[in-house]
């Protein structure tokens, strides 16, 4: 019987450099974004498992004997395979989710139920707990919100089932798991991402698990040795886009003009690698003189991404607005709209940041002042959470 009230958080992510080129085997750098998803874990009524996801309008509760029976039926059909189609299908039918449903509430519920059944089947009984998840991350913006959710779920469920420890001692405000436990946690978060996305790269859940920054190339994920925390503005243009269409457009352009486009991809690859070297050589709290080279990388890469055809007038506007405040920006993710990031050197005055935010919001954009290089999945005492997070969890 789980007896403590605790919270788990995991960060979102942004791509610093390497968008689109990564699809063609080049290096990409992904960094943890200090906008986080929070999961509150409470002892539940005996024999009940409850989940509330106010961001997508989900509030569900099941009796644990019914879940146990479903788990046994799935295990009998699956012959021990941890993610057989029958396990996902059985979870979907049990929750009353239509086949092929792709709405966020359906996918989030399905991932929760699948992970709960699969983890409890391997490590312990179906837990009687109440789980509530609230996020600072917008959904569908390419910021890793589903992976942060899957990481939080994996941490909470593995912990209540006894597969990983509860590292938070009485009187401590935060704690993290061992490297071995994080590896296990990440593998389960990836399975949750598979339920939601089908064939994810594994980058988003790895960033959510380890935090900091990761290098990704041709399926290989390598955490950077040490990463400074950098202040940024994150701006959502709110312009919808299709990643699939944008990726196809880049491939078409490369096939049409290989002698022109391949050097652009090589240059993006070189920016990623140079940026990695610069970040690993920077101190934990960099001073202003460390920023000009990072700003140049932003400017050059933004031009390259426009050459690849994934720019958008909204992103050009974002770059123009921030440039008028002597700040440097680039798109992050698929492009064609979506989000952009702006570096905030430590000598940027609060007035300049506020003026830039106001100008961006006047364009109809949504803007956050946050950090990159944030810590990965973390266990918290509820009393240590910020007033804003506590208020959100209490209202949900």
């Amino acid at each position: 019987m789980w007896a403590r009230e605790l919270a788990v958080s995991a960060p979102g992510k942004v791509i610093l450099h390497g968008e689109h080129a990564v699809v063609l085997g080049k290096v990409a750098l992904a960094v943890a974004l200090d906008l986080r998803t929070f999961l509150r874990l409470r002892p539940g009524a005996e024999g009940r498992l409850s989940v509330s996801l106010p961001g997508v309008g989900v509030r569900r509760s099941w009796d644990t004997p019914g879940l146990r029976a479903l788990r046994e039926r799935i295990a009998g059909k699956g012959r021990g395979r941890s993610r057989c189609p029958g396990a996902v299908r059985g979870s979907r039918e049990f929750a009353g989710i239509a086949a092929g449903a792709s709405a966020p509430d359906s996918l989030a519920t399905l991932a929760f139920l699948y992970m709960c059944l699969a983890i409890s089947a391997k490590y312990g009984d179906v837990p009687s707990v109440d789980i509530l998840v609230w996020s600072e991350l917008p959904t569908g913006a390419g910021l890793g919100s589903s992976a942060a959710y899957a990481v939080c779920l994996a941490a909470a469920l593995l912990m209540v089932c006894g597969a990983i420890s509860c590292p938070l001692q009485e009187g401590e405000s935060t704690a993290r798991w061992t490297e071995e436990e994080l590896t296990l946690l990440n593998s389960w978060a990836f399975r949750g991402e598979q339920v939601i996305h089908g064939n994810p790269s594994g980058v988003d859940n790895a960033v959510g698990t380890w935090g900091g920054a990761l290098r990704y190339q041709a399926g290989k994920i390598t955490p950077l040795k040490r990463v400074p925390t950098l202040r940024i503005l994150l701006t959502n243009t709110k312009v919808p886009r299709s990643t699939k269409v944008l990726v196809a457009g880049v491939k078409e352009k490369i096939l049409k003009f290989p002698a022109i486009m391949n050097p652009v991809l090589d240059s993006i690859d070189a920016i990623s690698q140079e940026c990695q070297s610069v970040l690993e050589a920077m101190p934990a709290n960099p001073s202003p003189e460390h920023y000009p080279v990072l700003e140049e990388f932003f400017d050059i890469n933004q031009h390259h991404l426009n050459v690849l055809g994934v720019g958008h007038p909204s992103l050009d506007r974002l770059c123009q607005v921030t440039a008028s405040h002597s700040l440097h920006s680039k798109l992050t993710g698929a492009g064609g709209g979506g989000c952009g990031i702006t570096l905030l050197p430590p000598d940027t005055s609060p007035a300049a940041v506020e003026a830039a935010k106001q100008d961006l919001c006047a364009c109809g954009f949504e803007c956050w002042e946050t950090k990159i290089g944030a810590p990965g999945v973390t266990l918290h005492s509820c009393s240590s959470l910020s007033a804003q997070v506590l208020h959100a969890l209490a209202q949900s």
Side-chain angles (χ1 to χ4, degrees):
M1 177 73 182
W2 185 255
R4 297 178 71 179
E5 179 176 338
L6 294 169
V8 177
S9 76
K13 76 94 182 51
V14 290
I15 302 296
L16 197 60
H17 292 292
E19 295 92 340
H20 290 282
V22 71
V23 178
L24 298 146
K26 308 299 185 184
V27 172
L29 298 181
V31 290
L33 178 68
D34 204 21
L35 294 174
R36 302 180 78 84
T37 293
F38 292 86
L39 181 153
R40 187 189 67 202
L41 177 66
R42 281 180 172 169
E46 186 59 41
R48 301 295 297 176
L49 172 67
S50 303
V51 61
S52 296
L53 311 171
V56 290
V58 170
R59 191 178 292 272
R60 301 289 296 264
S61 182
W62 299 277
D63 66 273
T64 55
L67 292 173
R68 216 173 282 127
L70 171 65
R71 189 182 70 183
E72 297 312 313
R73 288 200 302 276
I74 290 171
K77 291 176 183 174
R79 295 187 182 88
R81 286 174 291 166
S82 56
R83 190 184 167 265
C84 64
V88 177
R89 185 171 62 248
S91 300
R92 188 180 66 235
E93 290 168 357
F94 184 82
I97 297 168
S102 59
D105 59 330
S106 298
L107 293 174
T109 303
L110 183 58
F112 174 82
L113 200 50
Y114 165 75
M115 289 177 73
C116 181
L117 293 171
I119 287 172
S120 68
K122 191 169 177 65
Y123 300 108
D125 202 0
V126 177
S128 297
V129 291
D130 288 337
I131 285 176
L132 185 147
V133 183
W134 172 80
S135 188
E136 297 171 327
L137 291 158
T139 57
L143 301 175
S145 61
S146 66
Y149 169 64
V151 169
C152 285
L153 278 187
L157 293 168
L158 287 166
M159 193 167 60
V160 297
C161 289
I164 60 175
S165 67
C166 177
L168 191 72
Q169 303 302 313
E170 289 295 337
E172 289 183 337
S173 56
T174 62
R176 298 202 69 215
W177 289 272
T178 66
E179 193 66 22
E180 187 179 354
E181 289 172 320
L182 289 173
T183 300
L184 178 65
L185 193 161
N186 183 57
S187 70
W188 281 101
F190 180 66
R191 294 183 200 183
E193 273 277 83
Q194 286 179 306
V195 173
I196 295 170
H197 286 302
N199 188 30
S201 68
V203 169
D204 289 14
N205 52 275
V207 172
T209 300
W210 278 283
L214 302 174
R215 171 192 171 112
Y216 180 80
Q217 185 177 25
K220 187 181 179 188
I221 298 170
T222 312
L224 270 61
K225 295 186 189 75
R226 53 192 203 90
V227 185
T229 301
L230 306 176
R231 287 172 62 220
I232 64 159
L233 282 181
L234 171 72
T235 303
N236 186 358
T237 67
K238 300 185 186 175
V239 174
R241 74 275 186 264
S242 165
T243 301
K244 191 174 179 180
V245 169
L246 288 159
V247 169
V250 171
K251 285 189 175 174
E252 186 180 333
K253 192 167 275 199
I254 292 164
L255 287 171
K256 190 174 180 182
F257 304 114
I260 297 169
M261 303 311 295
N262 284 322
V264 176
L265 295 171
D266 289 340
S267 181
I268 292 173
D269 185 64
I271 290 170
S272 295
Q273 297 196 57
E274 288 282 331
C275 186
Q276 176 180 344
S277 299
V278 169
L279 290 175
E280 290 185 327
M282 286 170 80
N285 295 300
S287 51
E289 65 264 21
H290 292 100
Y291 278 75
V293 67
L294 295 179
E295 291 173 336
E296 285 193 80
F297 290 160
F298 265 39
D299 295 342
I300 297 166
N301 204 359
Q302 178 62 21
H303 290 304
H304 285 342
L305 290 162
N306 280 329
V307 170
L308 291 182
V310 297
H312 188 271
S314 64
L315 293 164
D316 293 339
R317 184 80 188 117
L318 189 163
C319 292
Q320 288 161 3
V321 167
T322 55
S324 72
H325 296 280
S326 302
L327 298 170
H328 299 254
S329 305
K330 67 175 285 290
L331 69 83
T332 182
C339 291
I341 50 177
T342 305
L343 276 174
L344 296 178
D347 56 350
T348 310
S349 72
V353 175
E354 196 52 42
K357 285 166 71 175
Q358 286 182 5
D359 287 352
L360 290 165
C361 290
C363 298
F365 303 156
E366 193 171 9
C367 203
W368 298 267
E369 188 178 346
T370 184
K371 299 184 180 100
I372 53 176
V377 64
T378 302
L379 187 62
H380 306 258
S381 67
C382 287
S383 61
S384 72
L385 297 172
S386 72
Q388 179 202 6
V389 173
L390 284 172
H391 180 72
L393 292 172
Q395 296 298 305
S396 301

